[in-house]
Amino acid sequence: MKTLSRQWYALVLSALVLSFSALVGCGGSSSGDSGPDVVNPDPDDDNDNDDDDTGDDDSDGDDTDGDGDHTAEPLTCDNPSYAEAMNLRIYQVMTESFIDGDPGIGHGVGYGTSHHSGDIRGIIDSLEYIKGLGFNAIWLTPVFDSVPLSGQDLAADRLDATGYYASNYFAIDPNFGSMDDARELVDTAHELGLYVFFDGVFGHFKNNAEEYPSVEGRTVTTGGASVAGTGRIAEYPDDLEFFKEVATYWVEELKIDGWRLDQAYQVPLDAWVEIRRAVEDASASVTYTNADGEAVNPLGYMVAEIWKGEADIAAEAYGSDDNPALCSAFDFPVRYALVQALAVEESGANNPSAARLRSGFNSYDTYPDHAIPNGFMGNHDLVRFGDLLQRGDIADPQDDLYWARHKAAYSFLAAYTGPITLYYGEEIGEEVPDYADQVTANCADQGLCDDHVARTSGKVEGLPSGTEREVFVANEKQAELRDYLTELMELRAAQPALYRGERTAIVAPIDVAGALYADYKTYADDAILYLLNVSNEPIETTFEACALGSTGTLTNLLTDETINADEEGRYQIQIPASAALFLNVESPTEDGPGCTTSDGPVGSGPLAACDTPAADGTGPLASDMYIRGSYAGGDGFGATPSDRRFGYKGDNLYQVVVNEPSATSYGFKFANAEWTYEFAVAGSADVVLGAEQAMAVASGPGTESSIDIPESGDYVFSFQINDALDGGTMMVSQCAE
């Protein structure tokens, strides 16, 4: 089913700095370099041992189906369900924090600032609202029964409310409702045209889980490593058949449409092959009646949560094209790029440049061709976008910019190739008032730690919200944002070029390249130009017709306004501050976007020379230096390719000539293999081709520079270190022909 460009699957987590506060002892680790090899356990999964040694990939076609009676054929990701999955618009709810539909039940305690009394009835009551937003699927955080242990403490009570440490995988937590409630939820959602995905925690469970056998009498093992104080890591292959039964039971019993897979790295790839095969077989064995009155199979979609960089996502979720494990995983690299460009990430790091969004797309080359990343902006473990805007002192809810930045972020999701997910409350710009000013070292007790601050009470107009069960009424700004999101979702649903189109990244004109992000999306005979202004000032710029791959009219898909080329074949385009345009391209050229310039960005002086003779030795740095980055082959800052190694030229000058086969963008640093030296443009600014710029130490993740390569050719990367070895000058120049 793959019609997508490899270029589309390429956004590096070049600045993955996840400084999350502990959730009852939850810890994560970050690499000391710019590489995104961060292992961050799900904050729901406290004291995680990050047991990554379970990922031995045996899915080579000779694995049996678990019964030992036949050889299973390798799975693929080209079935109709995954083609349909490209159009998924998923609305995520955290069950215990969402809507209190049944005041007689609830956990009472939990993490975050919600009432902790959300339940399945509240979700049922909200389904028409979710459908009205333009979404076609819901994802529920776990609803399985977490049975309290005798004498367990408050931390364990709070963890039970999240659902992420289940005792009985075949029963609904009575604090959330009943099996009948769950069945009504799924049936009602299907009648409305909504897919339903459960949250599958197949890598760990509560200590008492062995007391609750499966329907067929299977039990979990008891020897796994301890985690979260009250839980254990699952053991594979011993627990494989148990979790295959869990995964298929709910498909067959309630006809759910698939699974979100928590901490998927805890399950080895060969086990995912078997679990996915079982889910797809189960989905093919049952039907339900959809909103159109058609008998259909459950979708069978499975999406992995691997909170790491793209190399780990590829290795621990996707497998290889020859032996695919899972087909979809959440796109954490893109998420961090998005919040860095428009707000800040949780650490406070940001890069308010369109280059931040452009630079990483090449790293999707790390993924196999079958990969279908799922785009998102937030979830139950991340700080809400509105709170990140405030953390970065960018905007408060009383500022128009606060709402404009939300709209900009939503537009990016709407233009994303592949399924997308929105966390509840984001549609109204939800935030915790004065959140940043309230946080203390005791944030866990406050419910304000980074990894659970997003767990606020759901707010659905007309339904009770919060601890006082007051009926929520959206204010003017919230309603306007919600309506805009709905408009975007309806646009996305109607335009296959947006959700499954092949992507071509367009390098904006040099005068606006730092502010303007541009994608050219094609599917069948349709072409859409997506433009996003990440700056706080309006943009007016000129595109050559060849750069947009068009000879005809550009029509704004949201306003029906048109833009025609002038007599010289140029388009004058205006993009408001922190805003996006979706332009339908009439009469697209067969070759698509692309202009060839007669003279590229050629600099002058010693730093622009492409043929400087080599000097002896490694120079004053006494170390081999490389361009390390998110370019294809750079492994998201993890590799040191020989064709990116500098030669020492004498006089403190280092140079390397790189052949760029096509227009591209990426983030990079000048660094050695050990990361003892790290340099970028001073202030981690973007590279200006052909210009000499100040260079400075750029230590740690998120401090790289971004570069736009406008056309194929040879480029010389140069830097001249000062005698103190703590700065100097640098240049990137196209080599003159």
Side-chain angles (χ1 to χ4, degrees):
M1 57 81 60
K2 187 77 173 263
T3 62
L4 309 177
S5 158
R6 288 289 295 261
Q7 216 175 357
W8 170 251
Y9 294 133
L11 192 36
V12 69
L13 190 50
S14 58
L16 182 55
V17 184
L18 306 179
S19 59
F20 299 106
S21 304
L23 168 60
V24 292
C26 170
S29 61
S30 174
S31 67
D33 57 46
S34 294
D37 51 351
V38 178
V39 178
N40 285 287
D42 188 324
D44 294 317
D45 304 333
D46 310 287
N47 298 323
D48 188 284
N49 293 322
D50 297 332
D51 218 2
D52 295 332
D53 57 355
T54 59
D56 181 20
D57 184 3
D58 300 322
S59 52
D60 54 5
D62 61 358
D63 300 316
T64 68
D65 65 351
D67 298 324
D69 58 356
H70 71 276
T71 298
E73 293 293 325
L75 294 175
T76 65
C77 296
D78 60 0
N79 58 55
S81 66
Y82 281 90
E84 178 64 22
M86 300 294 291
N87 192 26
L88 282 173
R89 305 177 302 281
I90 304 170
Y91 187 87
Q92 183 205 346
V93 299
M94 189 165 194
T95 307
E96 65 94 15
S97 297
F98 192 50
I99 299 297
D100 183 5
D102 183 350
I105 59 174
H107 279 271
V109 298
Y111 296 103
T113 62
S114 85
H115 43 59
H116 310 304
S117 296
D119 48 46
I120 294 172
R121 178 57 53 188
I123 301 172
I124 295 172
D125 294 343
S126 305
L127 290 176
E128 290 191 6
Y129 166 81
I130 296 169
K131 176 70 174 180
L133 291 174
F135 291 89
N136 65 354
I138 58 170
W139 150 32
L140 288 64
T141 54
V143 295
F144 310 128
D145 195 8
S146 298
V147 181
L149 299 172
S150 177
Q152 71 178 36
D153 59 14
L154 176 61
D157 290 341
R158 287 173 164 175
L159 193 58
D160 281 351
T162 72
Y164 280 98
Y165 280 83
S167 304
N168 188 349
Y169 280 86
F170 298 88
I172 300 295
D173 190 327
N175 292 290
F176 295 146
S178 66
M179 179 67 87
D180 287 341
D181 293 330
R183 191 180 309 277
E184 181 182 349
L185 166 65
V186 177
D187 290 346
T188 305
H190 286 163
E191 290 170 2
L192 290 170
L194 295 168
Y195 297 114
V196 180
F197 303 116
F198 276 12
D199 207 321
V201 189
F202 300 159
H204 57 269
F205 43 77
K206 200 162 183 177
N207 281 344
N208 56 6
E210 71 270 15
E211 300 173 15
Y212 300 91
S214 74
V215 174
E216 297 182 8
R218 297 184 175 93
T219 58
V220 295
T221 56
T222 60
S226 177
V227 61
T230 60
R232 288 195 305 276
I233 298 292
E235 294 186 292
Y236 285 87
D238 293 351
D239 287 319
L240 174 60
E241 293 305 312
F242 178 87
F243 284 111
K244 281 172 65 176
E245 187 179 345
V246 175
T248 57
Y249 173 80
W250 294 98
V251 174
E252 295 168 345
E253 182 69 21
L254 298 188
K255 303 178 183 180
I256 68 168
D257 293 284
W259 295 92
R260 178 264 187 183
L261 305 169
D262 184 68
Q263 285 194 290
Y265 61 83
Q266 292 180 331
V267 178
L269 281 179
D270 58 336
W272 280 133
V273 171
E274 293 298 311
I275 294 172
R276 180 162 78 88
R277 187 188 309 277
V279 168
E280 292 182 3
D281 288 346
S283 298
S285 71
V286 295
T287 62
Y288 63 80
T289 302
N290 67 10
D292 296 324
E294 302 167 328
V296 297
N297 302 111
L299 191 60
Y301 174 69
M302 303 176 72
V303 55
E305 182 223 29
I306 296 183
W307 195 345
K308 304 182 185 183
E310 65 283 340
D312 290 318
I313 294 172
E316 299 173 15
Y318 292 130
S320 67
D321 279 320
D322 291 337
N323 297 293
L326 297 168
C327 301
S328 188
F330 285 110
D331 201 342
F332 281 93
V334 168
R335 183 269 174 183
Y336 280 91
L338 180 60
V339 298
Q340 279 202 4
L342 293 174
V344 300
E345 65 169 75
E346 281 70 9
S347 70
N350 74 332
N351 186 347
S353 168
R356 180 66 185 96
L357 290 175
R358 291 191 297 268
S359 66
F361 276 111
N362 299 288
S363 68
Y364 267 170
D365 287 333
T366 304
Y367 297 156
D369 286 340
H370 71 264
I372 305 173
N374 186 309
F376 72 105
M377 187 171 72
N379 61 27
H380 56 296
D381 293 324
L382 295 163
V383 177
R384 290 191 182 275
F385 187 73
D387 290 314
L388 291 176
L389 286 170
Q390 295 173 79
R391 175 173 289 187
D393 292 324
I394 295 170
D396 296 310
Q398 61 268 28
D399 304 324
D400 289 341
L401 184 60
Y402 179 92
W403 306 98
R405 287 292 171 111
H406 275 83
K407 290 179 180 179
Y410 299 158
S411 77
F412 185 88
L413 289 181
Y416 182 93
T417 294
I420 58 172
T421 300
L422 191 90
Y423 186 54
Y424 79 95
E426 296 290 359
E427 72 272 16
I428 56 169
E430 176 69 331
E431 48 93 35
V432 176
D434 302 318
Y435 155 61
D437 295 333
Q438 297 181 55
V439 179
T440 70
N442 199 32
C443 63
D445 289 338
Q446 294 176 284
L448 293 176
C449 293
D450 277 4
D451 42 10
H452 50 80
V453 67
R455 303 173 190 186
T456 58
S457 296
K459 295 179 180 178
V460 176
E461 204 146 33
L463 295 181
S465 176
T467 56
E468 304 300 321
R469 292 183 54 81
E470 298 177 350
V471 175
F472 173 71
V473 179
N475 64 37
E476 182 180 354
K477 291 292 187 182
Q478 291 171 327
E480 181 185 344
L481 179 63
R482 184 188 62 205
D483 292 346
Y484 180 73
L485 174 67
T486 301
E487 189 176 16
L488 289 178
M489 294 300 100
E490 291 173 347
L491 173 66
R492 179 176 171 88
Q495 299 288 341
L498 292 178
Y499 62 81
R500 62 181 306 173
E502 181 176 341
R503 174 185 176 270
T504 301
I506 296 175
V507 177
I510 191 66
D511 61 319
V512 296
L516 186 60
Y517 172 85
D519 273 347
Y520 185 85
K521 309 289 296 290
T522 57
Y523 180 76
D525 296 328
D526 296 327
I528 295 175
L529 176 66
Y530 170 69
L531 301 175
L532 173 62
N533 180 1
V534 303
S535 76
N536 294 332
E537 300 294 332
I539 287 174
E540 183 173 356
T541 191
T542 301
F543 280 97
E544 301 289 337
C546 56
L548 300 186
S550 177
T551 60
T553 300
L554 306 178
T555 303
N556 190 315
L557 289 169
L558 294 178
T559 67
D560 291 329
E561 296 175 330
T562 59
I563 304 171
N564 293 302
D566 62 22
E567 295 180 351
E568 298 180 3
R570 299 176 299 184
Y571 293 92
Q572 305 288 335
I573 301 178
Q574 299 177 350
I575 308 99
S578 301
L581 300 179
F582 294 83
L583 302 175
N584 184 65
V585 179
E586 297 181 18
S587 305
T589 61
E590 185 174 345
D591 294 336
C595 297
T596 301
T597 61
S598 59
D599 53 345
V602 179
S604 60
L607 272 69
C610 295
D611 55 357
T612 308
D616 292 336
T618 55
L621 295 174
S623 177
D624 286 329
M625 299 293 294
Y626 300 83
I627 306 169
R628 300 193 67 176
S630 60
Y631 50 82
D635 190 30
F637 294 85
T640 51
S642 60
D643 62 351
R644 302 272 176 163
R645 181 171 61 194
F646 286 91
Y648 182 56
K649 306 298 183 177
D651 194 27
N652 289 15
L653 176 66
Y654 294 79
Q655 291 183 317
V656 60
V657 176
V658 175
N659 179 261
E660 301 285 6
S662 62
T664 187
S665 304
Y666 51 82
F668 74 94
K669 290 183 181 181
F670 302 147
N672 59 7
E674 299 75 30
W675 292 101
T676 52
Y677 291 110
E678 300 179 56
F679 303 101
V681 180
S684 298
D686 298 337
V687 170
V688 179
L689 291 175
E692 190 172 300
Q693 296 176 262
M695 184 184 74
V697 174
S699 181
T703 57
E704 67 279 351
S705 291
S706 295
I707 188 171
D708 287 330
I709 302 294
E711 60 186 21
S712 62
D714 291 332
Y715 292 79
V716 58
F717 289 71
S718 306
F719 71 90
Q720 196 160 28
I721 195 76
N722 60 27
D723 290 335
L725 306 184
D726 61 1
T729 58
M730 59 86 64
M731 178 188 292
V732 182
S733 170
Q734 189 173 25
C735 296
E737 295 183 357

